[in-house]
Amino acid sequence: TRRGRDQPLISPPAASSGMAPLPEVSAAGFGEEATLSPSPGDTAGGGDDSTLSVVERMAKALLPGSTGDQIANGRPVHLPGAAAGLLVAMDFDAVAGALARGTDMGAISANRKGEPYMRDNIYLAYTDQATLSLSGAERFFPALLEVCEVLGQRSFDYVTARLLLEPPGGRGGPPLLADADLLAVQLRGTRRLSLIRPLHNLPVTAPRPQPQLVATVQAGDAVFVPAGLECRVLPPEGATDDGPQLYALLTLRSKEQDMEASLAKYLNDLVRDAALSKDVDNLFRSSVTRRTWKELDAQCEAADASAKLPMRLAGAAEELASRVSAAGLREHYARRMAKLRQEQREGAEKVAADLLADVSQKEVVSSSSMIRVSGGVQCRCRGGETVALFKRGSETLNLPIAESASYLIADLCDGTPHRVGSLRCADPFERISVCQILVFKGCLELC
C-alpha cells in the first residue's frame, strides 16, 4: 500500500475454517512499505476456480499478478467480470425491497443533479429522475456482506458498501471525488468512466492532468478508484444505454483506518483507560483556566506557576509515551476493526430478523406480484399519453404521468390481474415504482 495515510497497521485475521487460504499483508513497521501477497494459486492464469465460491472469485480477481501491484501502489485498474457473481443476487426486486427497508432505517438519500431531493417516498423520487443511495448496503444483501467480509479478511480490514440506483434521466450530476480507496462495482447498465486527478488542487500554471484510466464498464465489472482521484462519467461510445444504472461503491480504506486517526484513537483510549499515576491522570482530566492556574500556583512551592506547568506537562507526556508502542497500536487497531466487523454482522442479522417479522411486506410490489385495478375503480389511459384517469363513483383523479409509464397503465385498463414483470416498461425499477405509487393511492391492488 502507499505510504502514510493508507499504511495498514496489522495483518488481517486468519482465515476461518472452510475458506480458501487468505493472503497476508506484511506487518511492516510504521513508515515502511507493506505489500499485498496473494493466496496460493492467486497468480495470473493460475489456480483452479472450479472449487471457489462466487464471492471468492471476486476477491481473487483483485489480487492476480500485476493487478494486485496496481492496487497496492494506488493506481486505478479495470477488472472486467470480477463481480459477475453478484448480478443474480442483486436483481431489481431485491434492490426495491432493500431500498424500502432502508427508508425505515434512515439509510436512504436522494439526489438530483447534485442537489438533495427527497419526496414522500423513494418511488416518487425515482420517477422524478432522482438518484437513490443506500448506505450500509451490505446489511441488506447477504452476498454483498460476504464480499465485504472476504475483502476485509484478505487485505482491507473493514469494508463497507453503498448502493446507488440512477434513473435513465438522472445523469449529469457532478463527478465523484473519492475521499477513500473505492471499488466501484457495476451491477446493471453500462458506463464509460474516466479517472483523473482533480483540478482544484493544481496551480493555474500547472499542466492539465491526463486521465489515468478510461474504461467502458459493463454489468459485472469492477473498477478500483484510489483516494483523491475524480471519477467522471463520459458520453458513451456507439449505442447509448438508456436503462437505469445500478452500482455499488465499496469503501476499501477509509480515513478511519489511516495512521493519524488510528493513532489519535489509540492515545485517547490510553489517556482514558490506562493506569496512569494520579497526578498525570488529574492533569489530563483538567483544563488550563484561570482557576486551575491559581490552583497550580497554590500547589507549587515555587512562586512562578508558569514554570511548573510546562514541567508537569513534560512529565505527563513522558509517562504517556512510555506506554505507547507499535505493538500496542496494532493491537488496538485490530480490536477496533474486529468490533466494526462484528457490528456490521449484527446489523445484517437485525435487518434479516426484522424482514421476517415485518407483516407489511405483503404490500411491497415486486416483478412477480400480481396486480390489477382496484375494485370499483375505472382506469383509462393509452400508450404515449401523459395523463391517466382513475374514476371511483363521482370522484375522478387525473394523474400526470411520464410517457414511459403510460404503456404499463394501459395494459392494466382491462381490469384483469397482470404479473408486474409482464407490463410494458423499459425500466424495470420504474415499472415497480409506478405500480407501488398507484397501490399507495388506492388505484391498484395486489391480488
Side-chain angles (χ1 to χ4, degrees), residues 58-279:
M58 177 178 174
K60 179 178 177 179
L62 296 177
L63 297 174
S66 61
T67 298
D69 296 337
Q70 286 181 270
I71 292 175
N73 293 325
R75 297 197 299 271
V77 58
H78 179 208
L79 303 165
L86 288 176
L87 301 184
V88 176
M90 300 183 66
D91 59 17
F92 281 109
D93 285 342
V95 169
L99 292 175
R101 296 191 297 276
T103 301
D104 299 333
M105 299 175 60
I108 291 289
S109 61
N111 289 272
R112 189 168 72 171
K113 296 183 178 179
E115 298 294 332
Y117 186 86
M118 195 63 195
R119 296 287 303 275
D120 293 340
N121 55 65
I122 57 172
Y123 309 104
L124 286 171
Y126 183 82
T127 55
D128 280 350
Q129 305 304 308
T131 297
L132 305 179
S133 174
L134 174 64
S135 59
E138 71 277 5
R139 295 174 295 171
F140 301 88
F141 299 95
L144 197 56
L145 175 64
E146 189 178 356
V147 169
C148 291
E149 290 180 333
V150 170
L151 291 178
Q153 289 173 331
R154 285 180 177 256
S155 300
F156 304 106
D157 301 319
Y158 176 62
V159 178
T160 60
R162 181 159 61 102
L163 186 71
L164 293 103
L165 176 61
E166 190 177 90
R171 296 161 200 174
L176 169 69
L177 180 59
D179 60 355
D181 288 343
L182 301 175
L183 185 69
V185 178
Q186 190 75 14
L187 298 169
R188 292 292 185 278
T190 300
R191 296 188 300 164
R192 188 163 169 257
L193 302 180
S194 171
L195 273 60
I196 190 170
R197 185 181 176 189
L199 293 173
H200 65 268
N201 289 329
L202 297 179
V204 176
T205 57
R208 300 299 88 181
Q210 297 299 313
Q212 298 187 22
L213 176 71
V214 176
T216 299
V217 184
Q218 300 178 340
D221 291 358
V223 175
F224 174 68
V225 184
L229 290 189
E230 193 174 79
C231 183
R232 303 175 182 177
V233 180
L234 304 178
E237 293 180 332
T240 302
D241 187 351
D242 294 328
Q245 300 287 333
L246 178 66
Y247 54 97
L249 297 178
L250 276 62
T251 301
L252 302 179
R253 298 187 187 96
S254 69
K255 292 182 179 179
E256 287 294 302
Q257 295 168 265
D258 66 18
M259 179 68 73
E260 291 83 355
S262 298
L263 184 58
K265 291 179 183 293
Y266 174 48
L267 293 175
N268 181 71
D269 287 348
L270 276 180
V271 170
R272 186 179 60 185
D273 301 329
L276 301 171
S277 65
K278 184 177 180 180
D279 181 63

Side-chain angles (χ1 to χ4, degrees), residues 113-437:
K113 296 183 178 179
E115 298 294 332
Y117 186 86
M118 195 63 195
R119 296 287 303 275
D120 293 340
N121 55 65
I122 57 172
Y123 309 104
L124 286 171
Y126 183 82
T127 55
D128 280 350
Q129 305 304 308
T131 297
L132 305 179
S133 174
L134 174 64
S135 59
E138 71 277 5
R139 295 174 295 171
F140 301 88
F141 299 95
L144 197 56
L145 175 64
E146 189 178 356
V147 169
C148 291
E149 290 180 333
V150 170
L151 291 178
Q153 289 173 331
R154 285 180 177 256
S155 300
F156 304 106
D157 301 319
Y158 176 62
V159 178
T160 60
R162 181 159 61 102
L163 186 71
L164 293 103
L165 176 61
E166 190 177 90
R171 296 161 200 174
L176 169 69
L177 180 59
D179 60 355
D181 288 343
L182 301 175
L183 185 69
V185 178
Q186 190 75 14
L187 298 169
R188 292 292 185 278
T190 300
R191 296 188 300 164
R192 188 163 169 257
L193 302 180
S194 171
L195 273 60
I196 190 170
R197 185 181 176 189
L199 293 173
H200 65 268
N201 289 329
L202 297 179
V204 176
T205 57
R208 300 299 88 181
Q210 297 299 313
Q212 298 187 22
L213 176 71
V214 176
T216 299
V217 184
Q218 300 178 340
D221 291 358
V223 175
F224 174 68
V225 184
L229 290 189
E230 193 174 79
C231 183
R232 303 175 182 177
V233 180
L234 304 178
E237 293 180 332
T240 302
D241 187 351
D242 294 328
Q245 300 287 333
L246 178 66
Y247 54 97
L249 297 178
L250 276 62
T251 301
L252 302 179
R253 298 187 187 96
S254 69
K255 292 182 179 179
E256 287 294 302
Q257 295 168 265
D258 66 18
M259 179 68 73
E260 291 83 355
S262 298
L263 184 58
K265 291 179 183 293
Y266 174 48
L267 293 175
N268 181 71
D269 287 348
L270 276 180
V271 170
R272 186 179 60 185
D273 301 329
L276 301 171
S277 65
K278 184 177 180 180
D279 181 63
V280 171
D281 186 69
N282 289 338
L283 180 63
F284 282 150
R285 294 178 186 275
S286 62
S287 58
V288 179
T289 64
R290 289 183 178 180
R291 181 180 63 82
T292 57
W293 192 276
K294 292 179 180 179
E295 291 176 356
L296 283 172
D297 187 50
Q299 293 171 4
C300 299
E301 295 181 358
D304 186 10
S306 62
K308 184 65 175 179
L309 180 58
M311 295 174 58
R312 292 189 67 192
L313 287 174
E318 183 178 355
E319 181 173 337
L320 179 62
S322 67
R323 301 176 186 275
V324 175
S325 66
L329 176 56
R330 292 178 185 275
E331 182 182 352
H332 181 271
Y333 178 84
R335 290 198 305 268
R336 190 161 61 90
M337 294 298 107
K339 182 179 179 181
L340 289 173
R341 290 192 297 269
Q342 180 63 26
E343 291 173 349
Q344 184 182 56
R345 167 63 65 175
E346 290 173 353
E349 292 173 352
K350 184 179 185 301
V351 169
D354 291 345
L355 176 61
L356 293 176
D358 189 1
V359 295
S360 65
Q361 287 294 315
K362 63 182 181 181
E363 296 297 327
V364 175
V365 174
S366 68
S367 297
S368 59
S369 300
M370 298 299 294
I371 199 167
R372 66 186 176 193
V373 176
S374 298
V377 175
Q378 295 178 345
C379 174
R380 189 170 70 235
C381 182
R382 289 183 293 185
E385 294 183 340
T386 56
V387 175
L389 185 147
F390 294 91
K391 184 175 182 180
R392 176 185 282 117
S394 60
E395 298 179 349
T396 301
L397 173 64
N398 292 314
L399 185 66
I401 59 172
E403 182 180 337
S404 55
S406 62
Y407 299 96
L408 74 87
I409 298 176
D411 291 344
L412 292 165
C413 287
D414 58 10
T416 61
H418 292 262
R419 189 173 62 84
V420 172
S422 67
L423 301 175
R424 290 178 293 168
C425 187
D427 181 349
F429 195 81
E430 181 187 14
R431 183 191 303 126
I432 293 173
S433 296
V434 171
C435 291
Q436 188 71 72
I437 291 169

